[in-house]
Amino acid sequence: FIHFLSAGTNHITSHPIYTSSKITLTTSSGIHGPMIAEWVIMTSLVSSHQYNALHTGQMNHKWLPKDDLFQKRHDNVGRRLGVLGYGSIGRQSARVCKAMGMDVIAFTASPRKTKESKKDGGFIVEGTGDPDGDIPSAWFSGLDKESLHEFLAQDIDHLLVSVPLTDQTRGFLGKEEFDVLSRKKKAFVTNISRGPIIRQTELIKALKKGAEVKTEEDEASDVTKGEGLGLRGAALDVTDPEPLPEDDPLWDAPNCIITPHISALGQIYLERSFAVLEVNLTHKEKGEKLINVVDRKRGY
């Protein structure tokens, strides 16, 4: 078998090894949860605590007036995290957000109606994640638009995009989805998966709309027309394309945090990836089933 250091294999789906061989492929899925979850929380707090403004004040040696920021800052108690793709990253993010007082709901491609089906069957870093799938207060599933919209309409404050990039999820989120997501409130969107899952020009428009100052009457009128309120902000560790060109309008989108696909990387990355390989070598030696095996038909 071939072991990949990455969580996904979308970068080799057109390679003969993927398309024309029966060689078993395994990934490092499961090792990314701790680092990426901390990035998810960090960027969320940068937004909700108005940290960029505070940092600018420090750089300019200015003690900012509290009144300027008071009404813009909030904590996360009682808010809702919607995890679009409840894998190891989503589970660890859910664990941390639950500890912060948030409610968590999960979305998966296939139904998870039994207790056994909700368990995490992949590699788990000890002491992390949601091994038994006990954290979400509700589960949603399906790759069709109706199922996705049902999930997005659940009063989500923070949407975490962590589904793998496949033919079904390419362009998964666009104007329609952002309108459904923001019918009642301006949500925050985080993407740590792959850039093409989001239709980027439509994300920019949703961010610009969310930054507009409107009266309650105007906002109510937009909702009546079937439009959303726009997005409160976004945190993107992935873009389309990568690297993001210097003149791309995404750089200047309001309330948008962009990092260069680095959220998973840290000092212990390779050690954890080889730990997955070690588990599978042991399983292979004993004639047991391997973990983190890629399903070529599903694309991950």
Side-chain angles (χ1 to χ4, degrees):
F1 68 95
I2 299 175
H3 178 66
F4 288 85
L5 297 180
S6 57
T9 53
N10 58 286
H11 56 294
I12 58 107
T13 52
S14 59
H15 193 283
I17 288 177
Y18 194 96
T19 60
S20 304
S21 82
K22 294 184 179 180
I23 299 173
T24 299
L25 309 176
T26 64
T27 71
S28 294
S29 178
I31 73 169
H32 307 80
M35 279 293 289
I36 295 185
E38 291 185 18
W39 182 94
V40 169
I41 302 305
M42 175 188 72
T43 50
S44 171
L45 294 179
V46 164
S47 173
S48 63
H49 285 251
Q50 297 292 302
Y51 179 74
N52 285 339
L54 298 172
H55 184 257
T56 299
Q58 179 182 348
M59 293 298 98
N60 293 329
H61 298 190
K62 289 189 177 181
W63 191 271
L64 299 181
K66 296 182 177 66
D67 291 345
D68 291 351
L69 300 170
F70 180 70
Q71 295 297 333
K72 297 178 181 179
R73 304 174 76 235
H74 65 82
D75 60 37
N76 286 289
V77 177
R79 293 176 181 260
R80 172 169 287 172
L81 173 73
V83 184
L84 187 62
Y86 203 61
S88 61
I89 297 168
R91 288 170 186 256
Q92 176 62 4
S93 299
R95 183 186 185 115
V96 179
C97 286
K98 184 74 172 179
M100 293 169 61
M102 297 184 74
D103 177 52
V104 177
I105 60 174
F107 183 96
T108 55
S110 54
R112 306 295 178 93
K113 296 182 178 180
T114 66
K115 191 165 185 176
E116 190 64 28
S117 68
K118 294 177 180 178
K119 291 183 177 181
D120 186 350
F123 181 83
I124 302 173
V125 177
E126 187 176 355
T128 71
D130 181 19
D132 295 322
D134 293 331
I135 291 176
S137 61
W139 291 71
F140 298 82
S141 64
L143 292 173
D144 59 284
K145 185 166 289 192
E146 183 179 353
S147 298
L148 175 60
H149 286 193
E150 180 189 9
F151 169 71
L152 295 175
Q154 302 301 311
D155 292 340
I156 293 171
D157 294 280
H158 184 178
L159 176 67
L160 172 59
V161 182
S162 52
V163 290
L165 177 61
T166 66
D167 290 340
Q168 291 77 23
T169 61
R170 186 177 295 274
F172 209 37
L173 299 173
K175 182 184 185 304
E176 280 187 76
E177 289 68 41
F178 298 139
D179 282 344
V180 173
L181 178 65
S182 61
R183 288 262 165 83
K184 297 181 181 180
K185 60 184 72 171
K186 296 179 181 180
F188 188 83
V189 173
T190 297
N191 187 7
I192 50 77
S193 183
R194 294 292 185 271
I197 291 171
I198 291 179
R199 295 195 282 278
Q200 209 155 272
T201 56
E202 295 173 27
L203 171 66
I204 295 172
K205 290 178 181 178
L207 287 167
K208 288 181 177 179
K209 185 169 187 178
E212 293 175 356
V213 178
K214 290 188 174 184
T215 64
E216 291 185 7
E217 290 78 10
D218 288 339
E219 289 185 343
S221 176
D222 286 345
V223 173
T224 301
K225 295 175 186 176
E227 298 180 5
L229 302 174
L231 299 176
R232 174 167 56 85
L236 310 173
D237 188 47
V238 290
T239 61
D240 184 21
E242 292 182 12
L244 190 67
E246 291 183 8
D247 60 350
D248 195 287
L250 184 64
W251 289 112
D252 297 315
N255 304 314
C256 185
I257 299 168
I258 302 171
T259 58
H261 207 149
I262 198 173
S263 63
L265 302 182
Q267 297 173 351
I268 204 169
Y269 188 99
L270 287 178
E271 179 180 330
R272 286 178 176 157
S273 180
F274 283 122
V276 179
L277 176 60
E278 186 176 1
V279 168
N280 273 335
L281 288 173
T282 300
H283 283 202
K284 186 77 171 175
E285 185 178 18
K286 295 181 178 179
E288 298 173 350
K289 185 178 179 180
L290 303 185
I291 64 171
N292 290 5
V293 175
V294 175
D295 183 334
R296 284 174 167 83
K297 290 183 179 179
R298 299 182 71 178
Y300 58 94

